[in-house]
Amino acid sequence: MSEQTDSSREGRTPLPVISATTTTREEAPARPPSIAARIRAMGEARIGAILLLIATIIAIVWANASSGSYSEFWETHLSIGLGDIQLDFTLHALVNDALMAIFFFTVGLEVRREFAIGELTSWSRALIPVAAALAGLVVPAALFLLIAQGSGYEHAWGVVISTDTAFLVGALALIGPRASGRLRIFLLALAVVDDIGALSIIALFYTADFTPLPLLVAAVGLAGIYFARYLRRGRGPVYGTLAIIVWLAFLASGVHPTLAGVAIALLVPVYRPNRRDVEQALELTRTFRQSPNSEYARLAVNSLRESISINERLQNAYAPYVAYVILPLFALANAGVQLSPEILASALRSPITWAIVVGLVAGKFLGVFGSTWLMRVFRIGEFGPGLTLDRIAGGAALCGIGFTISLFIVDLAIEDEMAQNEARVGVLAASVIAFAFGAILFRISDARRPDDDGGRTLARPIDPLRDHVFGDADAPLTIVEYGDYQCPFCLKASGSIEEVRRELGDRLLYVWRHAPLERVHPNALAGAEAAEAAGMQGKFAEYARSLFTDQEHQLPSDIIRRARDLGLDVDRFEEDLRSPIVTNRVRDDMLDAEAMDVTSVPTFFVNGVRHTGPFDAQTLIRALEESAPAGVDGGEERR
């Protein structure tokens, strides 16, 4: 039988399979991407990385089987124009200048989101990946300059600064450790800062023939994009038209036109769903269900769409095209390096090849891992459970995969065809070595984890300043529960916990942590975040109790009604609901649950050890007594 069946037999609600699609229904309030959605995205990134790899292999085979046809194809000219206005591109330039602008647009959207509502909203939380990313920019560049000194290509140091996010996430999904949620979030935050650095360097150091006047036109277009958010209708065509104008202005100015994509993305609105917008969407959906017609359908669809920020809608719309079309096309157009014995021999002797290999493989590893090691030694920043140095080492090794932007800068920084071939050999070799290096480090890490007991013991120690604790912080007996406010078994367990607390009194410390089952209970995550928002006004326990009291009514209007009934400042409550502090606290508990392989709720950790079996009061008391720490006997302290 499946694990879910076993869990249900014990009277627990099983957690959904983590890679499954999170189901939703019309009553579910809109919210930021969930943990399950992020991990599902890892599977999509893995497919994208595989397509990128296939395109790279095809390009290499094509270039070596028929180098003439490969270069001739990508040098084919394409003219676009109207009257006397003509744009002439090669297919290679069309991919690198136009299609890659869409790629950098999606990168800009991610940067904007992370700084507005994501990992980089809190400086203390972002400190570790930001410092690691900056070190990962500086150290590779320094090593490149050291090795390439005197070669005449020192200016190509930008080739080694950037990590390929698509390959990084795909490689982590293929060879990374189990329960790598925290590592993946760390690497994604690092990659965002890395991308900002790479884009800035392209703008500052790899822009030629600069003409400032067209940038004034671009500035006007960007201003129009910013104010287009206030249009009630027709924003799509306005955004599209202005984006083309801005891109053409960047092209005319000499600044690489791909940076237009970033500039546009940074002006696209991003926000958390507003409760009133969600409620309006739900009301229109109910109206359509009661009286189905095309007008109500259109209004309901528009309302649902408008409740999600433009940033998130554009990311979801463009992500498949970028991963499955644009990046593979880029690889096909740029990875076609000839690997003849003469070229390989030349690359082996070339300082630029070795500068790239050492810069990406050793430089990225030393920069990322070295900086995090120093922060761990000096206790700077917060390392969550599962984000250990051995796992960071594997992730740091994978940061040496610099494929996309590295090849992109090769084309910008190096004009000589032979030197370009040597540089591309270096990029490809470094990416393969970094992948293998990361795989080896992850295997060593897994082999050296005798303490990894599959989640049998509590991963994150109880912290009275962080956790929701009930009882004396110095109590000798502890119960930590991972639960869900819509779970009927958690409701039943709450009665057992009350009885245990009455029986043991101040000898027991009870802790609640969140593990909402989004697939089974679509409103559970919203309930967890609402309890956290109430906790910011000192009413966590009261709000949690109200959620258990009425598990069937946890819609956005119910969430606000409960806050009002409990005497909370509703305006502050609504603001806190959109706060990244609230989101991150719930997400941290969910990542802890993932790291410990918590697959059903309620899950209890009794005196730090996972409890299996029934969770009635007498069973829990007996488990507490049997696992009591030294010096405690039968729930009574020895004197």
Side-chain angles (χ1 to χ4, degrees):
M1 297 294 290
S2 70
E3 185 173 38
Q4 293 191 9
T5 303
D6 295 339
S7 299
S8 299
R9 186 182 296 123
E10 291 180 7
R12 300 183 181 187
T13 302
L15 278 169
V17 178
I18 200 68
S19 61
T21 302
T22 302
T23 59
T24 58
R25 62 188 186 204
E26 64 184 23
E27 291 85 357
R31 52 181 177 261
S34 65
I35 297 298
R38 288 181 179 228
I39 295 176
R40 184 172 67 252
M42 186 188 298
E44 296 171 355
R46 177 167 48 188
I47 295 172
I50 292 172
L51 290 175
L52 197 57
L53 179 62
I54 291 172
T56 301
I57 294 172
I58 292 173
I60 294 172
V61 171
W62 183 5
N64 285 273
S66 178
S67 60
S69 67
Y70 179 85
S71 57
E72 287 174 7
F73 177 81
W74 292 111
E75 290 303 317
T76 301
H77 281 259
L78 178 66
S79 294
I80 304 172
L82 181 65
D84 295 333
I85 302 175
Q86 295 287 327
L87 289 175
D88 184 76
F89 289 99
T90 63
L91 290 180
H92 184 265
L94 184 66
V95 171
N96 284 20
D97 294 351
L99 293 184
M100 286 300 286
I102 300 175
F103 164 72
F104 283 111
F105 173 71
T106 60
V107 170
L109 290 174
E110 180 71 12
V111 170
R112 176 80 173 91
R113 191 191 70 81
E114 288 297 324
F115 274 104
I117 60 174
E119 271 295 298
L120 302 179
T121 53
S122 166
W123 177 246
S124 60
R125 178 175 291 272
L127 180 60
I128 296 173
V130 167
L134 293 176
L137 291 170
V138 173
V139 176
L143 288 178
F144 180 95
L145 289 171
L146 182 66
I147 296 172
Q149 187 175 11
S151 67
Y153 293 103
E154 295 88 345
H155 60 282
W157 55 271
V159 173
V160 299
I161 59 172
S162 184
T163 296
D164 189 300
T165 304
F167 262 137
L168 174 67
V169 177
L172 184 63
L174 288 170
I175 63 172
R178 182 184 60 83
S180 59
R182 287 189 188 276
L183 176 61
R184 181 175 183 270
I185 290 173
F186 165 78
L187 291 175
L188 283 176
L190 182 153
V192 167
V193 180
D194 182 278
D195 287 337
I196 294 172
L199 296 172
S200 302
I201 287 167
I202 290 172
L204 293 173
F205 296 98
Y206 297 105
T207 294
D209 303 323
F210 177 63
T211 305
L213 185 60
L215 287 184
L216 295 177
V217 178
V220 173
L222 290 171
I225 288 172
Y226 176 82
F227 288 108
R229 69 184 67 188
Y230 299 109
L231 295 175
R232 296 184 61 85
R233 293 184 180 179
R235 282 175 295 185
V238 172
Y239 275 128
T241 302
L242 291 176
I244 292 172
I245 292 172
V246 170
W247 182 85
L248 290 171
F250 269 74
L251 181 68
S253 72
V255 176
H256 203 278
T258 53
L259 298 179
V262 181
I264 293 166
L266 295 178
L267 297 174
V268 173
V270 58
Y271 49 81
R272 297 185 186 279
N274 182 279
R275 176 183 63 86
R276 293 177 179 83
D277 292 338
V278 173
E279 288 182 343
Q280 181 184 17
L282 295 177
E283 186 61 36
L284 286 169
T285 302
R286 293 191 189 99
T287 302
F288 171 69
R289 183 173 61 184
Q290 294 165 1
S291 180
N293 62 65
S294 59
E295 179 63 16
Y296 286 152
R298 184 184 62 80
L299 290 173
V301 168
N302 287 341
S303 183
L304 285 169
R305 184 178 62 249
E306 291 299 318
S307 67
I308 305 298
S309 73
I310 300 172
N311 179 289
E312 188 173 344
R313 298 204 303 268
L314 289 173
Q315 282 196 66
N316 291 334
Y318 282 104
Y321 298 103
V322 170
Y324 303 152
V325 179
I326 292 175
L327 289 180
L329 272 176
F330 173 81
L332 194 63
N334 290 271
V337 58
Q338 296 184 35
L339 300 177
S340 65
E342 294 80 9
I343 291 175
L344 290 176
S346 176
L348 285 173
R349 298 188 301 269
S350 170
I352 190 171
T353 302
W354 286 107
I356 290 172
V357 171
V358 174
L360 283 172
V361 177
K364 280 291 184 181
F365 178 79
L366 291 174
V368 172
F369 179 72
S371 59
T372 53
W373 178 80
L374 288 173
M375 285 186 283
R376 172 61 69 89
V377 169
F378 291 103
R379 298 184 179 181
I380 301 172
E382 179 185 352
F383 291 78
L387 191 59
T388 54
L389 285 177
D390 55 349
R391 288 187 170 177
I392 291 176
L398 293 183
C399 288
I401 303 176
F403 188 83
T404 303
I405 293 183
S406 293
L407 291 178
F408 186 77
I409 296 179
V410 164
D411 190 60
L412 295 177
I414 303 173
E415 295 182 0
D416 181 74
E417 186 176 347
M418 178 60 74
Q420 282 186 348
N421 266 333
E422 293 170 356
R424 292 188 182 111
V425 169
V427 171
L428 296 175
S431 299
V432 172
I433 294 170
F435 180 86
F437 186 27
I440 292 170
L441 290 179
F442 281 133
R443 296 293 79 79
I444 293 174
S445 169
D446 291 342
R448 295 182 61 188
R449 281 181 173 270
D451 58 323
D452 189 352
D453 56 7
R456 184 172 173 272
T457 58
L458 188 65
R460 174 161 56 88
I462 297 170
D463 180 1
L465 298 178
R466 161 65 179 82
D467 283 313
H468 298 291
V469 299
F470 303 88
D472 187 348
D474 297 322
L477 305 175
T478 62
I479 292 179
V480 177
E481 178 183 357
Y482 283 85
D484 172 332
Y485 292 120
Q486 281 196 300
C487 166
F489 302 117
C490 295
L491 173 60
K492 178 182 176 182
S494 67
S496 299
I497 291 296
E498 287 300 317
E499 186 176 341
V500 173
R501 292 181 64 198
R502 285 195 302 269
E503 181 75 20
L504 297 180
D506 60 6
R507 295 192 299 278
L508 176 70
L509 177 66
Y510 167 71
V511 178
W512 168 274
R513 290 178 179 172
H514 304 286
L517 313 188
E518 298 176 81
R519 192 185 69 176
V520 183
H521 306 135
N523 297 314
L525 178 56
E529 292 177 346
E532 288 291 342
M536 297 183 76
Q537 297 187 45
K539 293 290 185 72
F540 177 85
E542 294 86 345
Y543 200 97
R545 192 177 301 116
S546 74
L547 289 170
F548 273 138
T549 301
D550 188 5
Q551 291 184 315
E552 295 301 318
H553 297 90
Q554 296 191 13
L555 301 179
S557 55
D558 299 318
I559 285 173
I560 301 302
R561 173 180 53 78
R562 284 193 176 87
R564 188 176 295 110
D565 292 345
L566 290 172
L568 299 177
D569 181 334
V570 175
D571 291 336
R572 178 184 168 189
F573 178 78
E574 290 195 68
E575 183 179 346
D576 289 337
L577 274 177
R578 297 189 295 272
S579 165
I581 297 174
V582 164
T583 302
N584 288 335
R585 290 192 69 162
V586 175
R587 184 192 58 185
D588 285 346
D589 284 354
M590 296 173 70
L591 287 169
D592 290 341
E594 180 207 346
M596 294 182 296
D597 197 27
V598 172
T599 56
S600 62
V601 292
T603 291
F604 296 94
F605 288 84
V606 174
N607 294 327
V609 179
R610 187 194 292 255
H611 172 73
T612 57
F615 48 83
D616 58 277
Q618 292 307 310
T619 300
L620 290 175
I621 291 172
R622 187 163 52 251
L624 284 163
E625 294 172 346
E626 292 173 353
S627 62
V632 179
D633 185 16
E636 297 286 349
E637 290 191 44
R638 288 179 178 170
R639 300 186 183 276

